[in-house]
Structure formats: C-alpha cells, structure tokens
Amino acid sequence: MGSASGGAVVMKVLEIHSLSCWYPKRFFKRFEVLQDINLTLKRGEIVGLVGENGAGKTTLIKSILGLNRFFEGEILYNGQQQTADRKWLNGVGYAPEFPNLPDNISGRSFVQLFGQFYDLNRKALKRRTAVVLESLDLSEFADRKMGKYSKGMKKRIVLAQALFHDPDLMLLDEPLEGIDPRRRARVKEYLQDCCLRGASVLISSHEILELEQLCDRLVEIHQGEIRMVN
C-alpha cells in the first residue's frame, strides 16, 4: 500500500551512489559493513529497508546523516552534497532504533525541547507539540515522565520529535518495534499522510510483512550489499 503519486516530474530527495562503509581494525585492516550501495528515494515515496540484524541497515541510515566517518561514495540530499555546516539536516527527521531518553522529564517537555530549534514562538510551539502528540496517540501520556513509559511509548515519543518540524526526509530505524498493533496502524497512517503532502520516508525493519503493507518499495540488505529491490 504505497503513497507516492504519479506526475510528470519526480524529484529525487535522496540519492546514494556507490556507497561503501567500514570500521577500521588493527594493522591497517578494515571491516566492511556496506559495499557499493546504490539507492534513490523519490519525493512522496516510502522505501523500506529490510534485512537481518547486523545486515547494515542502521549503518546506512547513520551514513546518510553524516555520522559515519569511514565511507566512500556519494550521498545527495535534494541534489546537493552534504555540507560541513550540517544545515541540510534541518529538513531531515531521524528516529534511532535505541533512543536514549531522560527519565525525569515528560514526553511533552521532550518534544518541546527539540521544537525550540525551529524558531517558533511559544504559542506555535505548544500548538505544534499538541498536534504531533495527538497524531501519534500520545496526548494521554504526554505529561507523564518518560522513565515510566513503555517501550512502545518511547518509540512513539521519539517519532514525535523526529516529525515535529514536518521534515521532507524521514529516516526511521525500526520505529514500529514494541508498538502494539492498533497504534502501529496509527503510526503508519500518519506516515502515509506525511508522504501525501510530499515528504519521503526511509524506514528499516526486519519484519518484511509489516513493511509490505506500508511501503512503495522494499530494499533488502544482506551482509552489507543490496540483494533485492521489490
């Protein structure tokens, strides 16, 4: 069930050309994590990254974000190379697989803290926070301290901060893990709505059936290489 719509012009939000990533080892050796990855993501498209744990999905997402120092190849965002000032990240939303959340503040305060980076006045900040929390079915728990959150609630609050600023590129690493089926459906509906408005999503999971219901395309990574594009 995809979200991309037809049109005469299709813009590529993300382009990855011949990307290889590694981690250095002793005696000038290196451990290859990704090998010759080529991938594009069109505007309004949801692409799923599937593969076993350790296949390289998280490394690919972190490389797109510029968090991997050891790589070769080219990554273009809206046709432009990543810049050292990292201003291009203003249009990107990122939800990590293992979020490190503070226990002693509420979910609402957490989302508002990140929202302060986007030059909103106090009224607009509160309004946008309320909208994104409601969209992810978190309003009821928004004022509870995150130390008391379940795994699924923590996943959704991280999604809330990642999607707060309506990014045009969303990089989501195992965002559905630990979320109950009813709220999974709510999250997927929200992501599809975002894509209908022109956003693009790269989402990873090791659950192929889950992503088949959501994505326009699936890309399988096996031992650091793209093995199948569906």
Side-chain angles (χ1 to χ4, degrees):
M1 183 175 176
S3 60
S5 57
V9 177
V10 178
M11 181 180 292
K12 296 176 181 178
V13 175
L14 179 69
E15 299 173 67
I16 301 173
H17 302 293
S18 302
L19 178 68
S20 296
C21 299
W22 66 89
Y23 296 117
K25 298 176 67 175
R26 297 177 63 187
F27 306 115
F28 303 101
K29 295 182 179 180
R30 65 190 199 184
F31 174 69
E32 298 281 351
V33 183
L34 296 175
Q35 303 173 50
D36 196 29
I37 299 294
N38 292 279
L39 180 65
T40 60
L41 184 60
K42 301 171 187 174
R43 186 167 302 283
E45 186 179 37
I46 305 180
V47 172
L49 289 177
V50 298
E52 299 177 349
N53 292 333
K57 304 185 299 294
T58 296
T59 299
L60 176 56
I61 290 174
K62 288 185 175 180
S63 296
I64 295 168
L65 289 165
L67 299 178
N68 188 353
R69 294 168 49 205
F70 305 101
F71 75 93
E72 298 171 340
E74 185 177 52
I75 300 174
L76 302 178
Y77 169 63
N78 285 329
Q80 302 294 319
Q81 290 187 334
Q82 298 168 332
T83 55
D85 60 18
R86 301 177 69 81
K87 288 183 178 179
W88 61 276
L89 285 174
N90 290 338
V92 178
Y94 169 53
E97 180 180 4
F98 301 110
N100 186 15
L101 301 176
D103 291 338
N104 59 346
I105 67 171
S106 70
R108 188 185 306 277
S109 296
F110 175 74
V111 175
Q112 288 181 342
L113 179 65
F114 279 86
Q116 291 175 5
F117 291 104
Y118 300 104
D119 296 326
L120 298 177
N121 61 43
R122 185 178 296 241
K123 184 177 180 180
L125 178 63
K126 289 184 176 181
R127 182 169 61 247
R128 177 58 186 166
T129 300
V131 168
V132 73
L133 290 172
E134 174 63 27
S135 298
L136 295 171
D137 203 15
L138 281 165
S139 298
E140 180 183 352
F141 315 103
D143 297 309
R144 183 184 302 179
K145 290 187 176 180
M146 293 190 294
K148 298 181 179 180
Y149 276 13
S150 67
K151 181 178 181 179
M153 291 164 63
K154 289 180 178 179
K155 283 287 190 176
R156 284 184 288 136
I157 203 68
V158 169
L159 276 172
Q161 66 84 18
L163 307 181
F164 178 91
H165 55 302
D166 275 332
D168 61 1
L169 174 61
M170 305 175 191
L171 304 174
L172 311 179
D173 197 356
E174 298 279 0
L176 301 174
E177 185 181 18
I179 301 178
D180 64 80
R182 181 175 70 84
R183 291 188 172 96
R184 278 191 179 202
R186 184 78 174 264
V187 170
K188 289 189 284 187
E189 180 182 359
Y190 183 66
L191 293 177
Q192 288 174 326
D193 287 343
C194 290
C195 288
L196 288 174
R197 298 195 298 268
S200 304
V201 178
L202 185 65
I203 178 173
S204 77
S205 178
H206 56 272
E207 299 182 23
I208 295 180
L209 293 178
E210 189 76 53
L211 292 189
E212 280 184 337
Q213 301 170 11
L214 173 66
C215 298
D216 299 292
R217 289 187 290 132
L218 295 183
V219 176
E220 182 182 6
I221 298 182
H222 179 71
Q223 295 181 355
E225 298 180 328
I226 290 181
R227 188 168 69 174
M228 175 272 291
V229 178
N230 179 13

